[in-house]
Amino acid sequence: MFENKERTSLEELGEFGLIKHLTDNFKLAHESSVKGIGDDAAVLDFKDKQALISTDLLLEGVHFDLSYVPLIHLGYKAVQVNLSDIYAMNGVATQITVSLGVSSKFPLEAVEEIYKGIELACNKFNIDLIGGDTSTSRQGLVISVTSIGYAAKEDITYRNGAQEGDLLCVSGDLGGAYVGLQILEREKQIFLENPQIQPDLEGKDYIIERQLKPEGRRDVVDLLAQLKIKPTAMIDVSDGLASEILHITNQSDKGCTIYEDKLPIDPVTYETARELGLDPTVCALNGGEDYELLFTIKQTDYEKLKNDVDISIIGHITDKNSGVKMISKSDVVHELKAQGWNAFKN
Amino acid sequence: MFENKERTSLEELGEFGLIKHLTDNFKLAHESSVKGIGDDAAVLDFKDKQALISTDLLLEGVHFDLSYVPLIHLGYKAVQVNLSDIYAMNGVATQITVSLGVSSKFPLEAVEEIYKGIELACNKFNIDLIGGDTSTSRQGLVISVTSIGYAAKEDITYRNGAQEGDLLCVSGDLGGAYVGLQILEREKQIFLENPQIQPDLEGKDYIIERQLKPEGRRDVVDLLAQLKIKPTAMIDVSDGLASEILHITNQSDKGCTIYEDKLPIDPVTYETARELGLDPTVCALNGGEDYELLFTIKQTDYEKLKNDVDISIIGHITDKNSGVKMISKSDVVHELKAQGWNAFKN
């Protein structure tokens, strides 16, 4: 990627020089960011709000493949997946820390690309970068992001608040990120077998973008506030819809019924899944990495949301003994199981 | 290490099972820990205090060598080095998140050892484990810890507050962790050449412990509060004394003079350095990983501290133009340079 450019070695700069170089453009915008990078710890002041903290570790070869993930997208996504967890608490994300482990053979320009992506995400979502740790890695690229946000105590939405009769809602559409990944993997294999063949991503832009450039749904948090809806439970879809539904039902000690024909699947996702011999419903249920918000609302809030095209009502909460089920298009009842991403299998 | 025990595979448990299994013993003790592990984000409530956030990434082969670092010590140290940053802000550490990347070939019992060390550190320093992320790693072991603490706004000590005439103080002694590491490296080489030879660590307990089991100096933060001393600047000694002094002088826009004969060096460190052909003063200046606190105080606070055997006054702050110097035992003036650990060289 950097063959024709001059390379600057990381050794020359050293850790502190590198951090300064990479973070000079990042300005603190939040009143709560009292002190950012440059001391032993960052200092935050939330006054009467409660702070939210979330952290994610991304490892090369496990969470991303540098052969088809551009570094700028990687930086962007690393931030987004983390912010998504703060939004899933019905909070406002305000700060992040970023720790990076990179090979000392990595040129500065490559690390800069990652930081460009981080900066894009920070600017777009109004986030202050307040600290981190940068180090050489003997193995692959390692990115650890911790995000911090806040919310008023009464607005925070946990996973355990779903009540019988609540409606189960999901934002956007599902399965796209997973099907996009299958296309990238397919093209990688073709390229490995014959490097002369250019990747064929024609018409797949939407699902490729779902995989490479997911967006945390801060807009959904804003929408809910605007509509004066406080979800009874909420989670983001990172491991797959089925797995997330089970988190809500387990923690709320409830059951749930969803309807296959209500699952929001984009036409490109649907067609491409078929093309690849995959069941679009299975992709939506188990694919993961959609970073949509899954939440439950009281039935009395139905009128406020029913006309929003970006929110789908896919089922309802039942008593625990009724189990967690999907009614298929042909009216067959399936028990839902978490077949999402197992961090120790994939 | 686990040859004779039954191994439990991580695949069987999966990520959520593993997190639950490992963190079941960790109870939340702080009123500020509103919600810990088990939701999208942890929730903290500091009311009228300011929050402190610090993060560190530890990578196998760079920050630790599993051939001589027991896993329990690794877990303990990963927490300590992070708490140390909160103490260096003159704050109280209260919570941590821990993200772990481990090979799926790692048995459960090995991950449990790491968590035992984390638990020991949490119990000893009164820390709530509130979140994290656990994942397979295709390469080495990866540990990312973020620590959270708090302090009253007026108590927080930054690196940039040192004033001309202030006294430069350091807790404990220096160079031990580095010399301990040299001994461990030496014994590793001997073992690799002849596995029949048992490691010879006789009489080296103190410095081996300094390397493997450092302790964050919360007691120094407590002592300063008790003596009603607010340091004008503070930092922890992670990269080496010289490097940390330069952080304080650069950020405070001042100079500094220290005296070689005032550097606190333990006799075991001194003798072992000599044995290995190293200059004990250089080990103290550049060794790093001591996790002692380096701080500046007003001269008027001298009387309060002068009899404390655990705190050494090693020099004083000067104007910027006087530079950053060490007066040697033979009265030669040396300019101090940051020759501490370069994250991209070692």
Side-chain angles (χ1 to χ4, degrees):
Chain A
M1 197 182 303
F2 298 98
E3 290 81 7
N4 303 318
K5 294 188 192 171
E6 212 171 305
R7 285 159 180 252
T8 311
S9 95
L10 297 183
E11 270 190 31
E12 271 170 56
L13 279 165
E15 181 183 356
F16 304 119
L18 177 63
I19 293 174
K20 196 174 165 357
H21 174 85
L22 294 172
T23 60
D24 250 4
N25 294 335
F26 290 76
K27 305 293 173 211
L28 301 185
H30 288 281
E31 204 193 324
S32 56
S33 303
V34 179
K35 173 82 185 183
I37 293 163
D39 217 301
D40 298 286
V43 181
L44 307 181
D45 186 5
F46 290 111
K47 299 196 169 79
D48 55 342
K49 308 271 174 108
Q50 291 193 328
L52 304 166
I53 310 277
S54 174
T55 193
D56 273 304
L57 185 64
L58 299 184
L59 302 173
E60 183 178 344
V62 178
H63 300 95
F64 57 88
D65 182 333
L66 287 181
S67 63
Y68 54 70
V69 177
L71 292 169
I72 187 167
H73 283 81
L74 184 61
Y76 190 87
K77 183 169 174 173
V79 176
Q80 289 300 332
V81 303
N82 228 281
L83 301 183
S84 181
D85 283 321
I86 302 292
Y87 302 141
M89 301 297 288
N90 205 26
V92 177
T94 40
Q95 289 94 359
I96 53 166
T97 65
V98 175
S99 292
L100 214 57
V102 290
S103 161
S104 59
K105 309 238 163 5
F106 237 57
L108 172 63
E109 290 70 19
V111 188
E112 280 176 342
E113 282 292 299
I114 299 174
Y115 265 81
K116 263 186 217 161
I118 292 170
E119 196 177 355
L120 273 174
C122 284
N123 288 342
K124 185 159 179 193
F125 287 76
N126 193 23
I127 304 297
D128 290 348
L129 175 71
I130 55 159
D133 190 18
T134 306
S135 165
T136 193
S137 165
R138 290 277 163 89
Q139 303 102 353
L141 183 62
V142 175
I143 308 181
S144 175
V145 178
T146 297
S147 59
I148 300 132
Y150 68 86
K153 186 179 169 184
E154 59 276 16
D155 291 335
I156 296 177
T157 304
Y158 296 97
R159 294 176 179 174
N160 64 5
Q163 300 298 325
E164 225 178 301
D166 284 354
L167 302 174
L168 186 69
C169 311
V170 68
S171 63
D173 57 78
L174 301 170
Y178 177 77
V179 178
L181 180 63
Q182 305 316 309
I183 289 290
L184 288 168
E185 290 279 3
R186 182 188 72 182
E187 297 302 317
K188 179 186 170 183
Q189 289 313 320
I190 293 172
F191 176 82
L192 289 176
E193 282 158 29
N194 184 350
Q196 304 309 319
I197 298 179
Q198 287 295 308
D200 175 22
L201 305 174
E202 176 92 21
K204 308 296 186 202
D205 300 23
Y206 179 68
I207 54 174
I208 301 293
E209 191 155 298
R210 291 291 284 174
Q211 170 58 224
L212 294 182
K213 198 169 166 290
E215 304 275 341
R217 298 305 305 262
R218 188 185 58 174
D219 58 326
V220 173
V221 173
D222 293 345
L223 174 76
L224 292 170
Q226 205 181 307
L227 297 175
K228 298 197 196 316
I229 296 174
K230 190 198 159 181
T232 52
M234 187 149 64
I235 190 170
D236 71 326
V237 182
S238 53
D239 296 326
L241 180 69
S243 168
E244 316 307 354
I245 289 175
L246 286 163
H247 279 303
I248 288 184
T249 54
N250 285 342
Q251 292 200 26
S252 298
D253 211 27
K254 296 286 180 291
C256 179
T257 301
I258 66 168
Y259 299 88
E260 185 184 9
D261 63 352
K262 301 288 185 195
L263 296 181
I265 300 175
D266 185 87
V268 176
T269 304
Y270 194 93
E271 292 307 327
T272 311
R274 286 283 184 218
E275 209 181 297
L276 296 170
L278 299 167
D279 179 340
T281 298
V282 173
C283 295
L285 285 174
N286 298 331
E289 290 204 277
D290 294 310
Y291 299 103
E292 295 296 341
L293 290 175
L294 175 74
F295 55 97
T296 51
I297 61 169
K298 291 181 199 142
Q299 290 194 17
T300 49
D301 285 327
Y302 170 70
E303 290 294 322
K304 300 180 194 167
L305 262 190
K306 68 172 184 188
N307 293 323
D308 195 297
V309 293
D310 196 34
I311 307 290
S312 304
I313 298 168
I314 61 171
H316 60 274
I317 300 296
T318 60
D319 71 307
K320 194 184 179 179
N321 295 329
S322 304
V324 181
K325 302 175 204 158
M326 183 177 76
I327 313 291
S328 78
K329 289 173 186 170
S330 51
D331 265 340
V332 179
V333 178
H334 298 272
E335 195 195 338
L336 279 190
K337 287 184 182 157
Q339 283 159 328
W341 200 73
N342 178 335
F344 294 98
K345 237 172 184 164
N346 302 66
Chain B
M1 196 182 299
F2 298 98
E3 289 83 5
N4 303 318
K5 293 188 192 171
E6 211 171 304
R7 284 159 180 251
T8 311
S9 94
L10 297 183
E11 271 189 31
E12 270 170 58
L13 278 165
E15 180 182 359
F16 305 120
L18 178 62
I19 293 173
K20 195 171 166 2
H21 175 86
L22 294 172
T23 60
D24 248 5
N25 293 335
F26 291 76
K27 304 292 171 211
L28 301 185
H30 288 281
E31 204 192 323
S32 56
S33 304
V34 178
K35 173 80 185 185
I37 293 163
D39 217 301
D40 298 285
V43 181
L44 307 181
D45 186 6
F46 290 112
K47 298 196 169 79
D48 55 342
K49 307 273 174 106
Q50 291 192 328
L52 304 165
I53 310 277
S54 174
T55 192
D56 274 303
L57 185 64
L58 299 183
L59 303 173
E60 183 178 344
V62 178
H63 300 96
F64 57 88
D65 183 332
L66 286 181
S67 63
Y68 54 70
V69 177
L71 292 169
I72 188 168
H73 283 82
L74 185 61
Y76 191 87
K77 183 169 176 174
V79 176
Q80 289 299 332
V81 305
N82 226 280
L83 301 183
S84 181
D85 283 320
I86 302 291
Y87 303 141
M89 301 299 286
N90 206 26
V92 177
T94 39
Q95 288 94 359
I96 55 167
T97 64
V98 175
S99 292
L100 215 55
V102 290
S103 162
S104 60
K105 310 238 163 2
F106 237 57
L108 172 64
E109 290 70 18
V111 188
E112 280 177 341
E113 281 293 299
I114 298 173
Y115 265 81
K116 263 186 217 162
I118 293 170
E119 196 177 356
L120 274 176
C122 283
N123 288 341
K124 185 160 178 192
F125 287 76
N126 194 22
I127 304 297
D128 289 348
L129 176 71
I130 56 160
D133 190 18
T134 306
S135 165
T136 194
S137 165
R138 291 277 162 90
Q139 304 100 356
L141 183 62
V142 175
I143 308 181
S144 176
V145 178
T146 297
S147 60
I148 299 131
Y150 67 86
K153 186 179 172 187
E154 59 276 15
D155 291 334
I156 296 177
T157 304
Y158 295 97
R159 295 176 179 173
N160 65 4
Q163 300 299 323
E164 225 178 302
D166 284 355
L167 302 174
L168 186 69
C169 310
V170 68
S171 64
D173 57 78
L174 301 170
Y178 177 77
V179 178
L181 181 62
Q182 304 316 308
I183 290 290
L184 289 168
E185 289 279 2
R186 183 188 71 181
E187 296 304 316
K188 179 186 171 183
Q189 288 312 318
I190 292 172
F191 176 81
L192 288 177
E193 281 158 30
N194 185 349
Q196 304 310 316
I197 299 180
Q198 286 295 306
D200 175 21
L201 305 174
E202 175 93 22
K204 309 296 187 201
D205 301 20
Y206 179 68
I207 55 174
I208 300 294
E209 192 156 298
R210 291 290 285 173
Q211 170 56 225
L212 294 183
K213 196 169 166 293
E215 304 275 340
R217 299 304 306 262
R218 188 186 58 173
D219 59 326
V220 173
V221 173
D222 292 344
L223 174 76
L224 292 170
Q226 204 181 308
L227 297 174
K228 298 198 195 317
I229 295 174
K230 189 199 161 184
T232 52
M234 187 149 65
I235 189 170
D236 70 326
V237 182
S238 53
D239 296 327
L241 180 69
S243 169
E244 315 307 353
I245 289 176
L246 286 162
H247 279 301
I248 288 184
T249 53
N250 286 342
Q251 292 200 26
S252 298
D253 210 28
K254 294 287 178 291
C256 179
T257 301
I258 65 168
Y259 300 89
E260 185 184 8
D261 63 352
K262 302 288 186 194
L263 296 180
I265 300 176
D266 185 86
V268 177
T269 304
Y270 194 93
E271 292 307 326
T272 312
R274 287 285 185 218
E275 210 181 296
L276 296 170
L278 299 167
D279 180 340
T281 298
V282 173
C283 294
L285 286 174
N286 298 331
E289 291 204 278
D290 294 312
Y291 299 104
E292 296 296 341
L293 290 175
L294 175 73
F295 55 97
T296 52
I297 60 168
K298 291 181 197 139
Q299 290 194 18
T300 49
D301 285 327
Y302 171 69
E303 289 295 322
K304 300 180 196 169
L305 261 190
K306 68 173 185 188
N307 294 322
D308 196 298
V309 293
D310 196 34
I311 307 290
S312 304
I313 298 167
I314 61 171
H316 60 273
I317 300 297
T318 60
D319 71 306
K320 192 184 181 178
N321 294 330
S322 304
V324 180
K325 298 175 206 158
M326 182 178 75
I327 313 292
S328 78
K329 289 173 186 168
S330 50
D331 264 341
V332 179
V333 178
H334 298 271
E335 196 195 336
L336 280 191
K337 285 183 184 159
Q339 283 159 327
W341 200 73
N342 178 334
F344 293 99
K345 238 174 182 160
N346 302 65

